[in-house]
Amino acid sequence: MSQIHETAPNMSVDVGNQRYAYRRFGPGGELPLLFLQHFRGTMDYWDPQVINAFAAHREVILFDYAGVGGSSGSPSSTVADMAQQVAEFLAALELTQVDLVGFSLGGFVAQQVAVDRPSLVRRLVLAGTGPRGGNGMAGYTDEVVTHATPDVFTDDDFLFLFFSPSQSSQAAGAAFLKRRASRTGEPDGPTGTAVRDAQLGAIAEWGASTGGNYSYLETIHQPTFVANGTRDLMVPSVNSLILSQNMPSALLSLYPDAGHGAIFQYPELFTDQAIRFLSS
């Protein structure tokens, strides 16, 4: 029986002294689809409905950066280093090309992988993310900091950051949290303040102003699907437009009354669009 997100076993691969945790499941035959996670997130933070929809069509790989979840080592404070980890991990699995889904911080990493190693990436899906030096990305607002950086990250913090204040969006957030808790297999490892602090550094470095220079995006020629909500507090939604305007082969989809977690608020719509895009 094919594995699903709720039951897929935890696996690991060693690269020198570094051990990376991952899950790999779904039918083969096409290029694997590698998922790169958001700030403070582990493999357990993905939406089972989203992951299983992709895994019904192709092989998916979930992955923890160094020092995150079940991976050993120390968490990195730069996007460039996390992109290097992705390349090392894929080399250890003897994969020479994949499609990438990068969410939030994972979208920063996906862009960097595409720039550094273009032959490694066939297509990109970038969700809830933005370009280096994007609009309003030099630092979080005080309100976002309050909910994104407590020592203990709660469901209430998640709902505030990832979903809009409307009743319908908050209800979708509650449904997502219920789905997220449905895993019955071995859980991933927790993340603590070391991950928070290192990844905050990576986000600050990526978001620092470039004076509106997005020329590096012109070098990312891979077909790219950009998705976000219209009310993203963490990576302002205008940055999705900036990505689509500056990447040669980008398609943009914005979901109404949705925040940073739009792909979890509209899991069926997002996966339908993304699967069609990746298969086109």
Side-chain angles (χ1 to χ4, degrees):
M1 179 181 294
S2 179
Q3 293 287 344
I4 57 175
H5 180 274
E6 292 89 336
T7 59
N10 294 339
M11 306 171 72
S12 65
V13 64
D14 292 335
V15 180
N17 295 325
Q18 174 64 48
R19 175 164 292 180
Y20 291 111
Y22 71 101
R23 296 173 188 152
R24 185 174 184 177
F25 54 100
E30 290 190 58
L31 290 180
L33 184 60
L34 176 64
F35 287 77
L36 303 177
Q37 188 57 291
H38 63 74
F39 173 55
R40 303 185 78 169
T42 69
M43 294 186 289
D44 287 347
Y45 276 64
W46 289 109
D47 186 342
Q49 185 172 348
V50 168
I51 299 300
N52 291 339
F54 285 108
H57 296 270
R58 60 190 300 177
E59 188 175 38
V60 302
I61 302 174
L62 313 183
F63 161 78
D64 283 333
Y65 310 110
V68 175
S71 292
S72 69
S74 300
S76 177
S77 59
T78 70
V79 169
D81 187 54
M82 285 185 273
Q84 174 64 24
Q85 292 171 20
V86 171
E88 292 175 349
F89 167 72
L90 292 174
L93 296 187
E94 299 183 346
L95 293 172
T96 58
Q97 193 174 53
V98 294
D99 289 339
L100 287 180
V101 177
F103 178 34
S104 191
L105 170 61
F108 306 164
V109 178
Q111 292 173 60
Q112 192 68 56
V113 173
V115 169
D116 293 344
R117 293 173 173 81
S119 65
L120 191 56
V121 182
R122 188 192 68 155
R123 287 184 175 234
L124 288 162
V125 176
L126 301 177
T129 195
R132 179 182 288 276
N135 193 320
M137 290 175 56
Y140 288 142
T141 65
D142 291 343
E143 197 171 33
V144 169
V145 167
T146 297
H147 288 275
T149 63
D151 290 354
V152 179
F153 188 55
T154 69
D155 286 350
D156 285 343
D157 292 320
F158 195 93
L159 289 172
F160 177 86
L161 294 169
F162 281 65
F163 297 87
S164 83
S166 74
Q167 183 176 358
S168 59
S169 185
Q170 289 293 301
F176 160 73
L177 291 174
K178 185 176 181 179
R179 294 195 302 271
R180 194 178 74 177
S182 65
R183 179 167 168 81
T184 57
E186 180 186 2
D188 200 1
T191 60
T193 56
V195 171
R196 175 199 64 189
D197 295 344
Q199 292 188 349
L200 280 173
I203 291 168
E205 185 271 338
W206 181 267
S209 176
T210 59
N213 181 0
Y214 305 121
S215 58
Y216 81 92
L217 291 172
E218 298 172 2
T219 70
I220 302 177
H221 292 278
Q222 292 90 339
T224 302
F225 177 54
V226 181
N228 204 354
T230 57
R231 304 183 66 178
D232 191 337
L233 295 178
M234 299 193 75
V235 183
S237 304
V238 66
N239 290 290
S240 295
L241 178 61
I242 292 171
L243 287 173
S244 67
Q245 287 176 324
N246 289 274
M247 300 177 78
S249 302
L251 173 69
L252 174 63
S253 186
L254 291 175
Y255 305 120
D257 186 33
H260 194 59
I263 63 172
F264 305 146
Q265 183 169 336
Y266 293 92
E268 293 180 357
L269 178 58
F270 165 67
T271 54
D272 180 67
Q273 290 178 329
I275 289 168
R276 288 175 182 270
F277 168 79
L278 291 169
S279 300
S280 64

